Amino acid sequence: MILDGQLTRINTNLPAPVTSLIGRRAEKAALKRLLNDPQTRIVTLLGPGGMGKTLLALEVARQQLEEFNDGVYIVTLSTFLEHEELALLIADAINCQIYPDQNIEHQLLTNLGPQHVLLLIDNAEYGTRSTAFLTDILRAAPHVKILAISQIKLNLYAEKIFSLGGLSFMTGDPTTENADDAITLFVERATSVRPDFQLTPQSRQAISEICRLMQGMPLALVLAASWAALLSPTEIVNELRRGFDFLESDLQDMPIRQRSIRAIYDYTWTLMGDDERQMLTRLSIFRRGFTREAAQSVAQGNLRSLMSLLNWAAIQPSAPDGHIEIHEMLRLYAEEQLKRAGEYEKFRSIHSRYFLGLVQQNEQNLKGGKQLETLNLLQAEEENIELAWQWAIAQRETLLLMDSLEGLFWYHFMRNRYLTFEINCRNVENEFLRSHSAKDILLVARVQVRNLWMMRWSEGTVARHPEIIEQLQKQIILFRDLDAVHEIAVCELLLGDAVRTLENDREQAQSLLKSAYDRFGTLKDEYYVSWTLHFIARLMGDTQGIQKGIEVLNRTLVLRSKLGDQIGAIYSLYNLSTDLLLLGDLDKCREVTKEILNISRLTGEQSSLLLGQITLTLLAFLEGKLDVVRVQNETNHALAAKLNHLLGLTWTNLIQVFVDYLDRRSDHLVENLGLSQKVTVQSVVGFFYALAYPFIQNTDDELGVHNLRSALRHADEFAAYGAQSLCLPFLAALEVTREHFIQAAQLLALSEAQPQNLMGWLPAWLGRTSLKERIEQKLAIETLANAYEQGRNLDVQSVIRSFMITDTEQGNTTSLMQQHILDANKQLVEPLSERELEVLTYIGKGLSNQEIANEIVVELSTVKKHLTHIYDKLDVGTRAQAILRAQELHLL
């Protein structure tokens, strides 16, 4: 180095680097700042074996050569040392002359006194008997600093700890500093043993899994990458899942104790005391960390034992939630020792009872009051809870599973862990289904009912599971035999919703929901009362109009607010937002939707977050903000796919059909609509699904006309001004096809007179269809002007009602039974009778059994007989299946 024009020798014994340090940019900068701080005298670079502590320390030390005028030196310990032995090693490293007939420590301290030196003490865990001498150095030599590289804290007053964990991996944000360090290290080492190794999208996924399994431990990644000469990344992952003994190397220039992960931990194990080893083995029972309370209850630990392991860097706090973690490789090693000690089953049982007890104790908090706090608590313990549940199943702990089921269900429900809960249910069924014990039978039945609820919620509908009705009916009989009143009420609640949705039997739905409401009231279970009101509100909206449904929703929200049930509130708020949308009160709809999103983000509820975002996208579409819709709908679809949320996928598919039509991407629009068909029994999406056909077909064919009638029927039943207004342009298009151009002009004028935030999409649609130009071509200027003037003064509800009455009187409803339907009917093995075809038509319109009886003037029992014949001839079991089958056969 040249200083002031003279060649100056840098005093150091640091070895020349033979390999590069991958990543660690943030760690290098932070460690350098710490060493350059005048208040810092001794830093302990602390971490378990295999983290690359020495490599990082040497890299930083080389950058400090100009900062320490008298040199930077490394002293490597290989055995436990007393003060005098440590002094000799340091003296040898810095070339200090030592005379054997004088006090060795005093000679070294005297030599260091005036010097400006950085000392690296590697393997400082061997210096625990002589750490006081390091303090003597700091006192005697004010310009000396020490960087200790250790697996254990030195417990010196002047010591500053710099903890080192694994390389960063799977951050989810590739732009984050150090985001791909673990992957980069793996690829660099893999390339060194296989020059043609390449990072591809497929191999990257497997390498990311390797990094996750290793939790970014550099040595483990190096050892895993050494197998790239023989194995693909996917094959390496498979080997790693069988155990960590796979992680070993025969590289001759690696220290023996670093040639395998087992050797690393064997070395650490020999240095630990009996108490530390015993506590670490017991703590290995946890997954993804533990709290101090859990460690004391399950592992029978105390603060002193935890502090001892913390000093050993065997455990690390994972702030801010108070959890303490063990590196997964070390945990697996310690778990082996627990099994060898014959204590594994004992502590698994203690662990299972503790965590399932935690779920049970927090059941009421989940339902209100401390809901968010409890959700976060259980989410932090999610892996431990899953482990506890599986152990309880394997040990056939029926009562333990029974007591924790309700809390477990609601946690998974509220955190959208749909698939996980389904797997849990399947595991219970596999273990207990063949049992004849009453307790086991009750457990299985309760699990199955909650799984049905979870499926209904995750998919937004029961339409894909028509068998749910029969299943719930059987469960009610079973629960009656077992005198399980609460479970009967839960089944009635779900069955009422299923009957309303699948069979449109509103009378039976009302009877079931009322029974559930009364039972929960008698049991004083306000949480389930609020859920029953939630479903009753939807039924009221269907039977008595949206305003009535909103009244019940508001009652539900009041009760849920009283309970502190924020999650339940956002579900009811979502129904309220869609009701307001159909009413045309879009400002209030937006206000409610923003409240949904705020609570969803606060609570982490992804399903309601998705549906709230979809509602905002739908509002943007109605306003005509197509650029916004295109971006938002793509984001919404990705989230719906991630959650496997059927209702969300249906909505995003529908909105995309609307946009694609306006963008003149018309291929496969009808086929794409068919993808959404199975959730159209849900009232709001059903309306927009029906509206989509006239939107893209311009009512030029029977399919468009049929679905326009369906949309009109929905709008009329809802008594919803917004829904009625949205139908107007398509009625205008229908009148054009009938060559009623004056009426078409009037309807178009009425459409354009509606609020812009509801009909903002209309100009784009008119431009796409040329509907306005077609009308203007057929009418004289004065006639057109008069029609427009008359149309603007019409009443929307009166127009819709008049159209429906006129359409019926003209026999257009019977046009569904035109020749092509009769021809299709003949293709059946056993064709439907004319009366059965008529009943099928009314089923397609959504009429209840009693309404059909009124229409064709027969007894209710006669309608039910017709339904039985229709089901037999179409080979189906429910109304929903009959409708789908009839559409496939072109009978509807």
Side-chain angles (χ1 to χ4, degrees):
M1 177 175 290
I2 298 177
L3 296 175
D4 298 327
Q6 298 182 353
L7 184 63
T8 302
R9 184 175 65 85
I10 295 296
N11 297 319
T12 184
N13 69 342
L14 297 181
V18 295
T19 185
S20 60
L21 178 67
I22 302 296
R24 300 295 194 192
R25 292 184 293 278
E27 291 90 340
K28 284 191 291 186
L31 187 55
K32 184 177 179 181
R33 284 195 300 271
L34 193 57
L35 288 172
N36 291 339
D37 182 351
Q39 302 302 315
T40 300
R41 298 299 311 284
I42 179 169
V43 176
T44 297
L45 180 55
L46 184 68
M51 287 300 170
K53 299 184 295 296
T54 302
L55 196 60
L56 173 62
L58 288 171
E59 179 87 4
V60 172
R62 292 185 188 101
Q63 297 173 357
Q64 297 292 307
L65 289 173
E66 294 184 15
E67 305 296 331
F68 294 89
N69 296 332
D70 295 304
V72 176
Y73 301 94
I74 184 169
V75 179
T76 301
L77 311 186
S78 58
T79 187
F80 287 104
L81 302 175
E82 303 299 335
H83 289 203
E84 187 176 273
E85 295 169 309
L86 179 60
L88 279 171
L89 275 180
I90 295 174
D92 183 61
I94 66 173
N95 295 314
C96 170
Q97 180 68 46
I98 294 295
Y99 298 97
D101 57 341
Q102 299 178 25
N103 184 290
I104 295 174
E105 298 161 49
H106 179 72
Q107 291 180 76
L108 177 64
L109 295 176
T110 300
N111 181 277
L112 283 173
Q115 294 200 53
H116 193 206
V117 168
L118 173 63
L119 291 175
L120 275 68
I121 311 295
D122 198 11
N123 299 333
E125 58 268 13
Y126 280 126
T128 51
R129 298 175 185 172
S130 52
T131 50
F133 182 63
L134 298 180
T135 300
D136 293 339
I137 292 175
L138 298 179
R139 288 172 177 162
H143 301 298
V144 168
K145 293 190 178 186
I146 297 173
L147 175 57
I149 306 161
S150 180
Q151 292 193 41
I152 186 171
K153 291 181 182 178
L154 304 182
N155 286 330
L156 299 176
Y157 185 78
E159 180 183 26
K160 292 186 178 180
I161 301 298
F162 189 95
S163 295
L164 189 65
L167 292 170
S168 55
F169 63 96
M170 294 182 68
T171 62
D173 181 3
T175 64
T176 304
E177 186 177 22
N178 300 340
D180 293 326
D181 285 348
I183 292 177
T184 301
L185 174 60
F186 182 93
V187 173
E188 192 266 349
R189 296 309 303 164
T191 305
S192 70
V193 298
R194 183 175 177 174
D196 64 342
F197 184 88
Q198 291 185 345
L199 183 63
T200 65
Q202 293 75 23
S203 66
R204 185 185 184 90
Q205 184 176 359
I207 295 170
S208 295
E209 179 64 7
I210 293 170
C211 296
R212 188 192 68 79
L213 291 170
M214 302 298 97
Q215 291 188 294
M217 180 191 284
L219 178 60
L221 291 169
V222 168
L223 295 174
S226 69
W227 285 96
L230 179 65
L231 304 175
S232 71
T234 300
E235 290 171 324
I236 293 175
V237 169
N238 294 334
E239 291 295 331
L240 289 173
R241 286 175 174 158
R242 296 188 180 100
F244 61 81
D245 279 331
F246 170 72
L247 296 172
E248 60 181 1
S249 172
D250 57 1
L251 293 175
Q252 296 303 304
D253 57 350
M254 291 180 71
I256 293 176
R257 67 178 174 88
Q258 291 186 0
R259 293 182 186 177
S260 74
I261 294 299
R262 182 170 295 281
I264 282 282
Y265 291 140
D266 284 343
Y267 165 74
T268 303
W269 204 251
T270 60
L271 297 179
M272 284 184 173
D274 290 341
D275 290 343
E276 287 92 356
R277 286 195 288 261
Q278 182 186 67
M279 182 48 50
L280 188 58
T281 59
R282 293 177 177 180
L283 293 175
S284 70
I285 211 72
F286 295 101
R287 296 295 185 275
R288 293 297 175 97
F290 51 87
T291 61
R292 176 176 59 83
E293 293 81 2
Q296 290 174 319
S297 297
V298 176
Q300 302 168 10
N302 54 43
L303 289 177
R304 187 174 299 279
S305 61
L306 292 176
M307 180 58 74
S308 181
L309 288 176
L310 188 64
N311 288 340
W312 265 101
I315 60 176
Q316 292 292 332
S318 58
D321 64 1
H323 268 62
I324 302 168
E325 291 186 353
I326 310 174
H327 191 280
E328 180 61 14
M329 293 291 100
L330 178 57
R331 190 199 68 76
L332 290 172
Y333 181 89
E335 187 178 67
E336 280 187 1
Q337 312 309 315
L338 185 67
K339 290 177 179 177
R340 287 176 183 173
E343 293 190 311
Y344 181 74
E345 288 77 12
K346 170 186 173 181
F347 283 97
R348 278 295 302 269
S349 293
I350 297 172
H351 174 278
S352 182
R353 292 186 176 278
Y354 176 84
F355 282 104
L356 294 187
L358 184 70
V359 173
Q360 182 188 3
Q361 294 158 19
N362 283 280
E363 177 189 320
Q364 291 306 314
N365 290 334
L366 268 178
K367 295 176 177 179
K370 298 180 179 179
Q371 192 173 65
L372 180 56
E373 176 186 335
T374 305
L375 282 168
N376 291 337
L377 167 69
L378 297 182
Q379 183 169 339
E381 303 292 2
E382 189 171 303
E383 289 200 30
N384 281 309
I385 291 169
E386 292 300 322
L387 186 70
W389 180 262
Q390 298 309 326
W391 181 260
I393 294 173
Q395 301 302 308
R396 299 185 66 83
E397 294 275 7
T398 305
L399 293 180
L400 186 58
L401 294 167
M402 192 90 76
D403 290 342
S404 57
L405 173 61
E406 182 78 355
L408 191 76
F409 165 69
W410 284 113
Y411 168 73
H412 285 81
F413 186 94
M414 294 175 185
R415 275 288 186 256
N416 314 123
R417 305 295 197 265
Y418 308 132
L419 180 58
T420 302
F421 188 77
E422 181 183 341
I423 293 171
N424 286 337
C425 293
R426 193 181 309 131
N427 290 337
V428 170
E429 289 179 329
N430 290 340
E431 186 65 39
F432 292 91
L433 194 58
R434 294 178 182 82
S435 172
H436 298 293
S437 162
K439 290 180 180 178
D440 291 351
I441 292 170
L442 179 59
L443 171 64
V444 171
R446 291 185 66 213
V447 165
Q448 289 173 336
V449 168
R450 278 151 187 79
N451 195 34
L452 291 175
W453 193 332
M454 190 72 83
M455 285 194 303
R456 181 251 183 268
W457 206 256
S458 67
E459 297 175 359
T461 180
V462 294
R464 295 211 308 179
H465 305 282
E467 69 280 1
I468 191 174
I469 292 178
E470 182 179 354
Q471 291 175 2
L472 287 169
Q473 289 169 338
K474 289 180 178 178
Q475 297 290 21
I476 288 176
I477 295 172
L478 173 62
F479 288 133
R480 282 177 181 154
D481 292 341
L482 296 171
D483 197 27
V485 178
H486 190 276
E487 296 304 310
I488 293 171
V490 173
C491 287
E492 289 175 333
L493 172 62
L494 294 176
L495 186 56
D497 176 61
V499 168
R500 175 190 72 84
T501 304
L502 289 172
E503 296 192 342
N504 201 27
D505 193 333
R506 297 168 181 177
E507 289 182 15
Q508 187 183 1
Q510 183 174 0
S511 174
L512 286 163
L513 291 173
K514 183 180 184 305
S515 179
Y517 181 84
D518 291 341
R519 289 186 198 273
F520 289 132
T522 301
L523 294 169
K524 301 187 185 308
D525 191 332
E526 291 187 306
Y527 182 73
Y528 274 93
V529 166
S530 70
W531 268 108
T532 312
L533 285 172
H534 176 88
F535 285 108
I536 288 174
R538 181 55 66 212
L539 177 63
M540 291 298 99
D542 288 349
T543 58
Q544 300 181 35
I546 283 180
Q547 290 290 1
K548 185 64 177 178
I550 288 176
E551 290 177 18
V552 182
L553 275 177
N554 285 329
R555 284 177 56 198
T556 311
L557 288 165
V558 169
L559 179 53
R560 284 181 156 164
S561 176
K562 171 190 169 185
L563 296 172
D565 179 16
Q566 296 184 78
I567 299 289
I570 49 180
Y571 300 148
S572 296
L573 285 169
Y574 172 69
N575 285 355
L576 177 60
S577 71
T578 56
D579 285 349
L580 291 167
L581 188 150
L582 291 172
L583 283 175
D585 191 349
L586 302 191
D587 291 338
K588 182 66 174 175
C589 172
R590 188 182 301 278
E591 179 183 330
V592 171
T593 302
K594 288 181 178 179
E595 184 178 359
I596 293 169
L597 295 177
N598 288 337
I599 300 175
S600 299
R601 293 183 182 113
L602 177 67
T603 58
E605 214 293 332
Q606 294 291 297
S607 174
S608 56
L609 179 69
L610 167 65
L611 294 175
Q613 289 175 171
I614 287 172
T615 301
L616 289 184
T617 305
L618 196 56
L619 289 173
F621 174 78
L622 296 177
E623 292 173 327
K625 299 176 180 177
L626 298 182
D627 288 341
V628 173
V629 174
R630 293 182 186 99
V631 175
Q632 289 182 348
N633 201 53
E634 184 176 348
T635 301
N636 296 339
H637 184 79
L639 178 56
K642 176 183 175 182
L643 297 175
N644 192 28
H645 197 285
L646 184 59
L647 180 57
L649 291 169
T650 297
W651 268 120
T652 55
N653 183 58
L654 277 177
I655 293 171
Q656 193 60 48
V657 166
F658 290 135
V659 172
D660 283 348
Y661 179 75
L662 295 180
D663 288 344
R664 299 182 182 274
R665 292 197 297 269
S666 301
D667 293 340
H668 310 297
L669 288 179
V670 174
E671 292 89 336
N672 291 342
L673 274 176
L675 299 175
S676 303
Q677 189 170 21
K678 290 195 174 182
V679 251
T680 57
V681 289
Q682 204 267 7
S683 54
V684 181
V685 73
F687 169 74
F688 280 94
Y689 171 80
L691 207 64
Y693 281 97
F695 188 97
I696 66 173
Q697 294 284 344
N698 306 327
T699 64
D700 286 340
D701 63 12
E702 186 60 34
L703 185 61
V705 174
H706 169 65
N707 281 282
L708 175 56
R709 292 192 186 113
S710 178
L712 288 168
R713 178 174 52 77
H714 275 85
D716 184 59
E717 287 182 350
F718 297 152
Y721 175 83
Q724 293 169 339
S725 297
L726 290 171
C727 294
L728 293 172
F730 312 116
L731 289 177
L734 179 60
E735 294 293 12
V736 168
T737 63
R738 295 174 175 176
E739 299 187 352
H740 299 163
F741 296 106
I742 293 177
Q743 292 90 330
Q746 291 172 340
L747 288 166
L748 187 55
L750 183 58
S751 303
E752 294 178 323
Q754 302 311 301
Q756 286 301 303
N757 63 349
L758 182 65
M759 307 298 287
W761 55 275
L762 183 57
W765 185 79
L766 291 174
R768 174 73 171 86
T769 62
S770 304
L771 179 66
K772 196 168 188 176
E773 291 78 358
R774 291 159 63 191
I775 294 172
E776 291 174 349
Q777 289 172 0
K778 296 294 183 178
L779 296 177
I781 294 176
E782 185 176 350
T783 303
L784 183 65
N786 289 337
Y788 280 163
E789 181 64 28
Q790 292 168 357
R792 283 188 285 268
N793 294 319
L794 292 174
D795 174 71
V796 173
Q797 188 171 359
S798 299
V799 167
I800 298 297
R801 174 59 62 180
S802 174
F803 177 85
M804 293 182 70
I805 293 172
T806 303
D807 201 43
T808 301
E809 288 176 348
Q810 292 176 349
N812 288 319
T813 54
T814 61
S815 66
L816 295 175
M817 291 175 58
Q818 291 176 357
Q819 188 60 46
H820 72 277
I821 290 180
L822 298 175
D823 292 341
N825 185 44
K826 292 176 183 178
Q827 304 305 312
L828 295 177
V829 175
E830 186 179 3
L832 301 175
S833 68
E834 284 191 23
R835 179 63 88 181
E836 288 165 358
L837 283 171
E838 186 178 9
V839 171
L840 181 61
T841 300
Y842 286 124
I843 293 174
K845 292 181 177 182
L847 273 64
S848 68
N849 290 353
Q850 187 59 61
E851 289 171 335
I852 295 174
N854 294 340
E855 287 289 333
I856 63 178
V857 195
V858 296
E859 294 295 328
L860 181 60
S861 59
T862 303
V863 173
K864 290 182 177 179
K865 289 179 181 177
H866 288 315
L867 284 175
T868 300
H869 294 156
I870 292 171
Y871 291 172
D872 289 343
K873 293 178 180 180
L874 296 182
D875 193 23
V876 297
T878 66
R879 279 172 166 258
Q881 291 175 334
I883 292 171
L884 293 175
R885 182 62 176 151
Q887 289 176 335
E888 291 173 1
L889 297 171
H890 305 292
L891 295 173
L892 282 178

